[in-house]
């Protein structure tokens, strides 16, 4: 299949576009709209290929910031750079900002404004930049932030979110044309941290669970497959459900069939099913290898985290007792039955480095993704820890 040949979810995009742009009386959508779905189930593709075009067709200016694209870049800087790039494309807007109070004048016939002046703590804050963009275009602005939860892992990222809140409040006043912020994430609990407390930037924002790709997708997928022998859509859908609704597993299996020259019609379905399940098992096997390589205290900490969920408090006395219980449950005999705070701190750092645990700038910990919890539970490592 061509990389440009995407399955279109236009009806879903149209519904979300209306929710985002046409805020009804009593709706919290103006505070922000949060979209969540499991990792690798197509939410980013949907955002880029369906939602963005639908919003633009509805007359909005759409900006897109992917905080997961380069994890070495400060998430706050990614957000700021997205705004800078949008402004840099409009010379008339650059002129407007260049002659703003307190800045140097524009040279005759040329724009003398440097977009590096835009940012957190810079001469032109995000609110002023959005105001200029809104007033120049006279259109609603929609900022889509993919994997938004990554922003709250750093102080600058948190500052960027509060700067966006200030810009949102100003642009949604009657003086401007509106700003909507759409936050996308693969972990509902992490996203919820941005909206569940009154001291968070997007308190009260609407949370929407993106529907999984369904049988209509499989019918489309079946038509687009170019395999030596046909497969029934019902068989493909069954494997799709079994493998967690992840399109990439089907694509990898399809490639396996294409390059398996001896395959015959009778064995195509069996071989395809083997390849899909092997892809799913390989994803889990990599995680299991990391989990099984943990030290006793690291294993105990992540198991207690998985068992406690959102109620995990790493250094409470009851939690410290659970660490010791987890170590005992694993059949490990230690000379020192007590677990010390320093041991837990070092274990949490190690788990973050292994990409198993995630931490906000406020010191709240969470397991990186639900699949890790599922694997721990399957292995019986969460038993008797609640």
């Amino acid at each position: 299949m061509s990389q440009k040949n995407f399955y279109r979810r236009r009806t879903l995009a149209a519904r979300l576009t209306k929710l985002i742009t046409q805020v009804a009386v009593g709706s919290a959508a103006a505070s922000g709209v949060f979209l969540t779905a499991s990792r690798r189930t197509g939410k980013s593709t949907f955002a880029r290929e369906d939602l963005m075009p639908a919003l633009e067709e509805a007359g909005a200016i759409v900006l897109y910031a992917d905080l997961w694209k380069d994890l070495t870049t400060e998430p706050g800087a990614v957000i700021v750079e997205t705004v800078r790039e949008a402004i840099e494309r409009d010379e008339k807007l650059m002129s407007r900002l260049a002659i703003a109070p307190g800045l140097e004048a524009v040279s005759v016939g040329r724009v003398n404004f440097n977009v590096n002046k835009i940012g957190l703590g810079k001469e032109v804050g995000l609110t002023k930049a959005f105001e200029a963009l809104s007033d120049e275009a006279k259109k609603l602005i929609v900022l889509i932030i993919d994997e938004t939860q990554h922003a709250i892992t750093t102080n600058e990222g948190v500052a960027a979110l509060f700067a966006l809140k200030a810009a949102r409040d100003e642009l949604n006043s009657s003086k401007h044309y509106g700003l909507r912020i759409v936050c996308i994430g693969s972990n509902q609990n992490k996203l919820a941290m941005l909206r569940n407390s009154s001291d968070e930037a997007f308190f009260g924002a609407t949370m929407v669970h993106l529907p999984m790709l369904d049988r209509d997708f499989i019918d489309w997928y079946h038509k687009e497959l170019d395999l030596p022998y046909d497969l029934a859509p019902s068989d493909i859908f069954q494997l799709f459900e079994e493998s967690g609704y992840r399109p990439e597993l089907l694509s990898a299996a399809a490639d396996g069939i294409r390059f398996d020259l001896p395959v015959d019609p009778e064995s195509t379905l069996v071989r395809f099913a083997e390849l899909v399940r092997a892809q799913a098992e390989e994803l889990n096997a990599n995680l299991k290898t990391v989990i099984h390589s943990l030290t006793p205290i690291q294993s105990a900490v992540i198991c207690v985290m998985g068992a406690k969920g959102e109620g995990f408090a790493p250094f409470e006395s009851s939690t410290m007792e659970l660490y010791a219980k987890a170590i005992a449950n694993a059949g490990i005999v230690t000379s020192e039955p007590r677990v010390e705070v320093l041991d837990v701190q070092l274990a949490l750092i190690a788990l973050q480095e292994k990409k198993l645990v995630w931490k906000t700038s406020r010191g709240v910990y969470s397991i990186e993704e639900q699949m890790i919890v599922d694997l721990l539970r399957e292995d019986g490592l969460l038993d008797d820890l609640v």
Side-chain angles (χ1 to χ4, degrees), residues 225-278:
L225 277 175
D226 182 21
L227 296 180
Y229 306 105
D230 197 18
L231 294 170
S234 57
D235 291 329
I236 299 175
F237 186 64
Q238 182 178 340
L239 289 165
F240 188 52
E241 286 184 303
E242 181 185 315
S243 58
Y245 301 89
R246 291 174 286 189
E248 63 185 26
L249 300 189
L250 296 184
S251 296
D255 272 344
I257 294 291
R258 292 187 187 101
F259 289 96
D260 190 355
L261 300 181
V263 72
D264 58 73
E266 290 74 22
S267 61
T268 298
L269 176 59
V270 172
R271 181 62 179 147
F272 186 77
E274 288 175 350
L275 290 168
V276 171
R277 288 168 182 149

Side-chain angles (χ1 to χ4, degrees), residues 368-386:
E368 184 63 47
E369 56 180 310
Q370 182 60 36
M371 186 187 297
I372 297 170
V373 180
D374 294 340
L375 292 176
L376 293 171
R377 185 172 286 112
E378 285 175 14
D379 287 348
L381 297 175
L382 306 188
D383 296 347
D384 303 321
L385 290 180
V386 180

Side-chain angles (χ1 to χ4, degrees), residues 56-75:
E56 289 169 346
E57 195 172 307
I61 296 174
V62 185
L63 313 182
Y64 179 80
D66 185 356
L67 304 192
W68 207 253
K69 185 176 181 180
D70 181 2
L71 294 180
T72 64
T73 303
E74 162 63 47

